[in-house]
Amino acid sequence: MALAMTGIDVKIVVLLVVGVLAMASYCATVSYDHRALVIDGKRRVLVSGSIHYPRSTPEMWPDLIQKSKDGGLDVIETYVFWNSHEPVRGKYNFEGRNDLVGFVKAVAAAGLYVHLRIGPYVCAEWNYGGFPLWLHFIPGIKLRTDNEPYKAEMQRFTAKIVEMMKNEKLYASQGGPIILSQIENEYGNIDKPYGPAAKTYIKWAANMAVSLDTGVPWVMCQQADAPSSVINTCNGFYCDQFTPNSNSTPKIWTENWSGWFLSFGGAVPQRPVEDLAFAVARFYQRGGTFQNYYMYHGGTNFGRSSGGPFIATSYDYDAPLDEYGLLRQPKWGHLKDVHKAIKLCEAAMVATDPTISSLGQNIEAAVYKTGSVCSAFLANVDTKSDATVTFNGNSYQLPAWSVSILPDCKNVVLNTAKINTAAMIPSFMRQSISADVEPTGAVGSGWSWINEPVGISKADAFTRKGLLEQINTTADKSDYLWYSTSIDVKDGYKADLHVESLGHALHAFVNGKLAGSGTGNSGNAKVSVDIPVEFASGKNKIDLLSLTVGLQNYGSFFDLVGAGITGPVQLKGSTNGTTIDLSSQQWTYQIGLKGEDEDLPSGSSQWISQPTLPKNQPLTWYKTQFDAPGGSNPVALDFTGMGKGEAWVNGQSIGRYWPTNIAPKSGCPDTCNYRGAYSADKCRKNCGKPSQELYHVPRSWLKSSGNILVLFEEVGGDPTQLSFATRQVESLCSHVSESHPSPVDMWSSDSKAGRKSRPRLSLECPFPNQVISSIKFASYGRPSGTCGSFSHGSCRSRSALSIVQKACIGSKSCSIEVSTNTFGDPCKGVAKSLAVEVSCK
Ligand code: GAL
């Protein structure tokens, strides 16, 4: 009998089928066992990367997530930033950069999973570790310990986030992307001083989290005493030696630090990709099945969100995606290859534990073998010596500090120290911002200004006896707190104004003039200054501007670390030798700046534009209009010429700027040796230079013309020197030897065909519409040096340049086999390589 259906019936049936299929293919069960996370009954080897949603813009998210997926990530990990979401108790913000649901959905749309680290303490170089300041003022509260008022708030916020996720069906158990959640953060590192209450707190936190019934597992990182209801995980530069506290939980690495954070006053950290790849491979070699890059994209600490003290505005982190969201090469590409290589071993890795054996001093083999599958990792953990080892009857070259991955226990698909990805040398193109400024009346500059008054100018100022701690006074409503007093002097005299502050920086004004400044640093926030001053007969005003540069985010009782001028404040007379202590006299206080109250950051109000623009004047607000630089490349502002302050573009804060805070002269090696254990100080660069000159202005904050830039300058600068810097790529470089493995992508076709492809050197211009425009260097034989300074060796093929030109010029990408087939043999019996540097236009 034929079934007769109307069009509407058909539609309904189709919808039903699609619906059921969607449910069936989406709702996932997530559990775990000793080996791995188990998703829908299958153990998985997963690669994850951290992207913190408020450190970029919603407009950037899809691209960052897609680049993460292209780089081989399965999971995006993010913290949840309590103080951004609940700046005032009970008043929530989930808009714009705080659109957590939007972010999680963007990850889902790309088909990736999410690890949601709720915390809600997060550390993260984020102001006050992510805690809202109002927590501190709840009567009887003690943070991060077994304390009822604290636990009530922590539970309320955690439950709120879980509820939000559930309402949007974002847990994997509901068909969403979230496969894992974290409660607390590295408490185990700092819990000793909290005494026995630490233990009860951690038990409570685990129970509380589990009771929220997300349907997916919870983790606690760096918590060896984590209860069995949660998975304890590892954070660090290496976690291969980590063992979970239970035999029934998998080995998970929640933070593999891909670089390190930058501080104002510090040099720029870098972690070589050879070492990062080594750490990753070592982890999977020794039984790990889930690792996360902290950070995969670090981004920017916009506004006053950075922690500290002294965390810089850039949170680039030397991550695989740079601050601007562009691929950092060869880091991104090499790690992508590492991920592919590891995934080729997944079947064997999930089937069994590795069998680990020594193949000699500092040489370790791990074999995953059951039934028909076998994968192996061979590691040389020696920091100096390369080695030749025999494994299963075959011989392998293992460079020092490297791991070779053998998906079939025989052929090497990748060695962590041999990079097939081309390096990109970034550069910034400077462009004046004043060129396209609309005339505002100020001669030649396009700038107007307003002076911020020295000392007390707001009606809500108040007077107290003695010196107040700053954070308890301002509740972090502003970076700034004025301490004002005056002294009566009978006869004029000279003295040293001695000021001691808990930090983080201060500017001292005497009789309205900047007399001196002092600043702490990331190692010691305290400030102590002795400023020579001359007092006139009569009344003399002393106005001290104390400021914070990001509140402490780490350590036991970090929330109680104070700031501000707690004294003593003294006048040490150089004329008469007496010391006058001003600490306990009457002081008048003003929280924040007048300009902040008047909303100058938005650009409104009456700005002064007269023929001469005040330059190098402290406490000055500046404003200008500008057109966005053409094109779509990321934009930064170069603050060279300015002192210290904060900047806003169209009312949005791009963060604190401080180009005059210079990194120490020494401590940056000429070349960075990736071999040997990495630490944050190992491979810094930019010694003796400003820690941060360039400040990211997200494209989506800009209109094509008529943008408003406002600066608040504390110490004095020349805003006409400001310029745009747009991110360019100067050149691409690659150096591939005959002993490099062939590209990872050849593995499957090679295995099927039973052949072994030769290594290839591949280049690809990063931006759309770009092609390789010139070959700056090409040499086949024994070239040496590094990108930008390659040189020919004694043995070289004379035709290398023309061969590379023919293969690459005019193309977006090219790929050349590195062998005598391509170049002939300039020196028989000698190991040869190909080095190339090209430009893209
Ligand atoms: C970890 C912490 C992270 C971050 C990191 C350093 O200890 O869990 O939140 O602060 O250090 O970047």
Side-chain angles (χ1 to χ4, degrees):
M1 190 185 74
L3 263 179
M5 278 209 263
T6 65
I8 291 174
D9 288 340
V10 172
K11 263 195 204 139
I12 291 172
V13 171
V14 168
L15 279 178
L16 276 175
V17 171
V18 169
V20 168
L21 280 179
M23 287 295 288
S25 59
Y26 269 112
C27 270
T29 59
V30 185
S31 60
Y32 56 87
D33 62 16
H34 150 78
R35 271 306 291 138
L37 284 185
V38 179
I39 303 181
D40 280 338
K42 271 177 66 181
R43 285 179 180 162
R44 297 291 303 274
V45 169
L46 295 169
V47 183
S48 170
S50 291
I51 301 178
H52 295 156
Y53 51 97
R55 285 177 155 141
S56 56
T57 60
E59 290 78 6
M60 291 169 71
W61 295 342
D63 180 56
L64 296 175
I65 294 164
Q66 187 58 44
K67 284 171 172 159
S68 307
K69 185 176 184 182
D70 296 344
L73 299 195
D74 308 292
V75 185
I76 302 294
E77 184 178 285
T78 183
Y79 282 129
V80 175
F81 297 88
W82 189 358
N83 53 9
S84 299
H85 293 307
E86 200 178 352
V88 176
R89 190 168 183 273
K91 292 213 171 105
Y92 296 99
N93 177 352
F94 289 98
E95 302 295 311
R97 287 186 291 119
N98 293 324
D99 182 4
L100 172 61
V101 166
F103 180 75
V104 173
K105 286 185 174 171
V107 177
L112 300 186
Y113 295 125
V114 170
H115 175 196
L116 195 68
R117 306 174 82 195
I118 301 180
Y121 162 74
V122 297
C123 192
E125 291 70 69
W126 194 258
N127 197 45
Y128 214 46
F131 280 152
L133 242 290
W134 51 257
L135 267 187
H136 171 71
F137 295 96
I138 292 176
I141 203 161
K142 287 194 177 120
L143 307 189
R144 296 184 85 196
T145 186
D146 192 359
N147 166 275
E148 294 308 323
Y150 169 69
K151 289 190 299 183
E153 292 300 321
M154 171 166 167
Q155 175 159 9
R156 186 180 57 77
F157 182 74
T158 308
K160 159 126 191 140
I161 295 299
V162 168
E163 216 38 53
M164 271 181 89
M165 298 300 118
K166 280 190 186 170
N167 289 342
E168 300 282 341
K169 302 225 176 323
L170 292 177
Y171 283 102
S173 49
Q174 304 171 288
I178 306 172
I179 53 166
L180 216 53
S181 283
Q182 179 177 303
I183 193 77
E184 250 294 341
N185 189 75
E186 290 193 337
Y187 189 63
N189 286 1
I190 53 87
D191 61 2
K192 285 247 150 49
Y194 293 86
K199 266 222 161 0
T200 42
Y201 166 57
I202 272 310
K203 272 203 194 122
W204 168 84
N207 285 340
M208 183 273 284
V210 171
S211 75
L212 297 174
D213 204 13
T214 60
V216 302
W218 286 90
V219 308
M220 276 188 175
C221 59
Q222 296 288 103
Q223 197 69 50
D225 62 353
S228 61
S229 54
V230 301
I231 307 171
N232 89 303
T233 66
C234 182
N235 294 347
F237 289 116
Y238 307 92
C239 278
D240 50 284
Q241 303 298 326
F242 167 76
T243 343
N245 65 4
S246 149
N247 199 35
S248 46
T249 60
K251 178 164 166 174
I252 292 182
W253 189 0
T254 27
E255 289 182 25
N256 172 4
W257 300 321
S258 55
W260 198 242
F261 56 84
L262 174 70
S263 296
F264 283 125
V268 178
Q270 271 178 297
R271 185 176 186 191
V273 66
E274 293 94 335
D275 172 61
L276 183 54
F278 169 80
V280 171
R282 285 290 285 154
F283 179 72
Y284 289 103
Q285 168 172 27
R286 296 183 61 93
T289 48
F290 183 116
Q291 79 97 28
N292 172 75
Y293 296 100
Y294 185 103
M295 302 296 293
Y296 196 74
H297 171 255
T300 310
N301 294 314
F302 296 113
R304 300 170 56 239
S305 64
S306 67
F310 298 104
I311 302 295
T313 295
S314 169
Y315 198 63
D316 179 87
Y317 222 90
D318 199 28
L321 299 177
D322 72 10
E323 174 172 10
Y324 303 91
L326 302 176
L327 307 187
R328 171 167 277 122
Q329 296 285 41
K331 208 171 211 178
W332 181 87
H334 189 48
L335 294 174
K336 173 181 178 154
D337 287 347
V338 171
H339 306 151
K340 281 189 183 156
I342 287 164
K343 287 300 174 80
L344 289 170
C345 307
E346 181 169 10
M349 288 172 70
V350 296
T352 173
D353 280 329
T355 304
I356 294 177
S357 62
S358 167
L359 301 181
Q361 204 190 346
N362 287 332
I363 312 286
E364 189 177 276
V367 179
Y368 291 94
K369 182 174 168 43
T370 58
S372 60
V373 287
C374 184
S375 294
F377 291 71
L378 306 181
N380 178 358
V381 301
D382 199 279
T383 60
K384 292 194 183 72
S385 309
D386 299 348
T388 305
V389 302
T390 306
F391 170 70
N392 281 350
N394 296 313
S395 172
Y396 298 86
Q397 302 289 329
L398 283 180
W401 206 253
S402 80
V403 180
S404 281
I405 300 177
L406 292 62
D408 58 359
C409 282
K410 182 165 177 229
N411 295 293
V412 175
V413 67
L414 178 133
N415 175 277
T416 54
K418 293 190 173 171
I419 300 178
N420 278 334
T421 300
M424 254 182 224
I425 307 299
S427 68
F428 282 87
M429 205 172 69
R430 301 297 198 281
Q431 184 183 326
S432 155
I433 57 169
S434 38
D436 25 27
V437 154
E438 290 185 5
T440 58
V443 176
S445 76
W447 288 88
S448 51
W449 82 95
I450 293 178
N451 284 329
E452 174 70 26
V454 173
I456 307 302
S457 60
K458 301 200 307 162
D460 58 3
F462 55 90
T463 301
R464 293 279 181 285
K465 187 176 149 33
L467 294 162
L468 299 180
E469 190 282 323
Q470 182 157 348
I471 301 169
N472 280 298
T473 309
T474 63
D476 199 36
K477 295 222 159 58
S478 166
D479 278 0
Y480 303 99
L481 179 63
W482 280 108
Y483 294 69
S484 292
T485 194
S486 58
I487 56 159
D488 281 315
V489 170
K490 212 147 120 230
D491 302 311
Y493 85 119
K494 288 184 183 165
D496 276 350
L497 172 59
H498 174 76
V499 184
E500 285 189 39
S501 161
L502 297 176
H504 308 146
L506 67 86
H507 306 301
F509 295 80
V510 175
N511 294 326
K513 293 252 165 332
L514 181 59
S517 297
T519 174
N521 57 58
S522 57
N524 177 12
K526 291 190 176 154
V527 191
S528 173
V529 289
D530 287 280
I531 302 167
V533 287
E534 230 169 288
F535 291 106
S537 307
K539 189 171 163 181
N540 290 267
K541 267 172 64 63
I542 298 175
D543 297 295
L544 307 176
L545 182 59
S546 175
L547 47 126
T548 52
V549 190
L551 302 191
Q552 182 96 11
N553 58 268
Y554 182 72
S556 313
F557 305 109
F558 75 88
D559 51 301
L560 302 177
V561 174
I565 301 167
T566 47
V569 177
Q570 293 165 335
L571 296 176
K572 295 183 174 168
S574 48
T575 318
N576 52 16
T578 57
T579 294
I580 305 170
D581 200 310
L582 307 176
S583 311
S584 47
Q585 69 177 57
Q586 295 284 321
W587 288 85
T588 303
Y589 293 90
Q590 174 181 307
I591 298 167
L593 306 171
K594 188 163 179 238
E596 288 178 307
D597 276 15
E598 292 176 350
D599 198 21
L600 297 190
S602 74
S604 60
S605 182
Q606 283 298 312
W607 294 73
I608 308 163
S609 7
Q610 276 168 14
T612 45
L613 179 76
K615 290 180 185 170
N616 302 314
Q617 296 298 313
L619 305 187
T620 312
W621 295 85
Y622 291 105
K623 175 180 140 171
T624 192
Q625 276 194 35
F626 65 93
D627 294 345
S632 56
N633 289 4
V635 180
L637 274 173
D638 184 336
F639 271 76
T640 304
M642 297 304 290
K644 178 186 182 304
E646 189 174 344
W648 296 263
V649 170
N650 296 328
Q652 307 243 38
S653 172
I654 62 167
R656 299 185 184 95
Y657 68 82
W658 201 351
T660 49
N661 205 337
I662 311 288
K665 280 213 177 62
S666 63
C668 298
D670 290 338
T671 55
C672 162
N673 178 8
Y674 68 81
R675 298 168 196 84
Y678 180 76
S679 64
D681 279 328
K682 190 176 167 190
C683 289
R684 300 227 181 205
K685 58 171 189 182
N686 279 8
C687 278
K689 297 196 183 139
S691 302
Q692 191 182 350
E693 271 172 331
L694 300 179
Y695 295 78
H696 182 204
V697 182
R699 274 274 175 194
S700 61
W701 292 2
L702 294 173
K703 311 177 264 185
S704 58
S705 63
N707 297 290
I708 294 182
L709 170 65
V710 172
L711 315 177
F712 174 64
E713 172 58 46
E714 292 166 16
V715 278
D718 175 1
T720 64
Q721 285 184 36
L722 277 180
S723 61
F724 285 123
T726 38
R727 181 76 153 66
Q728 318 280 318
V729 170
E730 205 164 271
S731 47
L732 299 180
C733 289
S734 189
H735 191 175
V736 172
S737 72
E738 287 170 335
S739 67
H740 271 54
S742 60
V744 187
D745 286 332
M746 313 290 283
W747 177 266
S748 302
S749 52
D750 276 10
S751 315
K752 271 196 207 108
R755 65 161 186 244
K756 210 166 177 186
S757 291
R758 296 187 197 259
R760 302 187 74 87
L761 183 148
S762 305
L763 300 165
E764 183 173 358
C765 294
F767 294 115
N769 308 325
Q770 269 185 330
V771 293
I772 296 169
S773 56
S774 70
I775 313 295
K776 295 186 182 167
F777 182 89
S779 187
Y780 178 74
R782 304 275 296 156
S784 59
T786 53
C787 191
S789 58
F790 284 135
S791 58
H792 297 285
S794 51
C795 140
R796 59 186 275 217
S797 146
R798 295 285 153 185
S799 50
L801 181 63
S802 64
I803 291 170
V804 174
Q805 277 171 337
K806 209 164 148 221
C808 301
I809 294 273
S811 308
K812 184 171 174 56
S813 62
C814 59
S815 170
I816 304 161
E817 186 180 299
V818 182
S819 81
T820 49
N821 294 347
T822 319
F823 296 98
D825 197 341
C827 41
K828 293 216 163 51
V830 173
K832 288 170 281 287
S833 64
L834 171 65
V836 177
E837 178 173 354
V838 305
S839 357
C840 293
K841 280 232 164 63

